[in-house]
Amino acid sequence: MDLGIKGKKAIVCAASKGLGRACAMSLAREGVDLVITARTAADLEKTADEIRKETGVKVTAVPGDITTDAGRAAALAACPNPDILVNNAGGPPRGDFRDWGREEWIKAVDANMLTPIFLIKAVVDGMISRRFGRIVNITSASVKSPIPELGMSNGARAGLTGFVAGLARQIARHNVIINNILPGPFLTDRLRSGFQEAARASKRPVDELVQERAKNSYTGRVGDPAEFGDACAFLCSAKIGFIVGHNLILDGGNFNSSIA
Ligand code: NAP
């Protein structure tokens, strides 16, 4: 299927690795020109190069912390009128909520709620005036099925989800469409580092823990970031103008419910 977005422009945040990188790659394969961001310039340039070589699209690497005003301004300066925005940032740390003060909470809310909201605010009116916009927020399966030790993630992402649910309905008539994708376990650096921690604590090999997690999944495996990227490209396509404000959980069926 031709997704109908060849020649469109996208900002993909936090995209040198993992899920963000996969979204950037899938959009590029559809002929979308990209601005990609991440804090580590060398990794970001490497990813930009790989995407250019594989797809031939224009890729501009904008190093910076997307959770800061300066980071967002730099991304927007490189692409002031995107047709597509993929919101993403690192997730908050695990822990016990008794150890988190105001500073930790503000950081989590900034990264996983306010950063996407401010980016949406910056681009949405341009999308409305051009009568095309696609926004995908990468959140987490924990929005539907909380992970107790990820309290700041559960809380901040739920805040974003509530806000987006209303906004998505306010702007859909202009063909500006917002949806969220909720990843379950995808084998990225972030998931791998979680397995590495668990391996150290349990003195078991990382691979064994990954296999165990895979075995306990309905699909018998963990997710491949590339399939996450393809789902994101689909939700950025010209075809999805009637899919409004959804929370697409990609977890291999782990969220156990008759209606996902
Ligand atoms: P990852 O493999 O660690 O990749 C994170 C990417 O984001 C890197 O490119 C990183 O580059 C960039 N990044 C992080 N913080 C940034 C910031 N403040 N500004 C700009 N770029 C930033 O992580 P991932 O697994 O793809 O996870 C992406 C998001 O999905 C996270 O919020 C995570 O919590 C959530 N999630 C992931 C899973 C999973 O299974 N993978 C499941 C549920 C939720 P730099 O470090 O160089 O900035």
Side-chain angles (χ1 to χ4, degrees), residues 32-52:
V32 175
D33 291 328
L34 301 172
V35 162
I36 59 173
T37 85
R39 292 165 302 182
T40 314
D43 291 345
L44 187 65
E45 253 326 322
K46 183 167 173 280
T47 293
D49 246 9
E50 288 164 358
I51 297 175
R52 276 182 213 116

Side-chain angles (χ1 to χ4, degrees), residues 13 26 63 99 109 130 147 151 189 219 226 247 260:
C13 305
S26 292
D99 298 330
V109 170
R130 295 187 301 279
I147 301 169
D189 283 4
T219 52
N247 287 280

Side-chain angles (χ1 to χ4, degrees), residues 14 16-17 19 39-40 65-66 88-90 157 183-184 186 188 190:
S16 65
K17 294 181 181 173
L19 303 180
R39 292 165 302 182
T40 314
D65 183 339
I66 201 69
N88 185 31
R157 295 185 203 275
F186 280 85
T188 62
R190 177 173 166 95

Side-chain angles (χ1 to χ4, degrees), residues 54-72:
E54 179 169 336
T55 66
V57 302
K58 185 175 171 211
V59 186
T60 308
V62 179
D65 183 339
I66 201 69
T67 69
T68 63
D69 289 342
R72 289 189 290 276

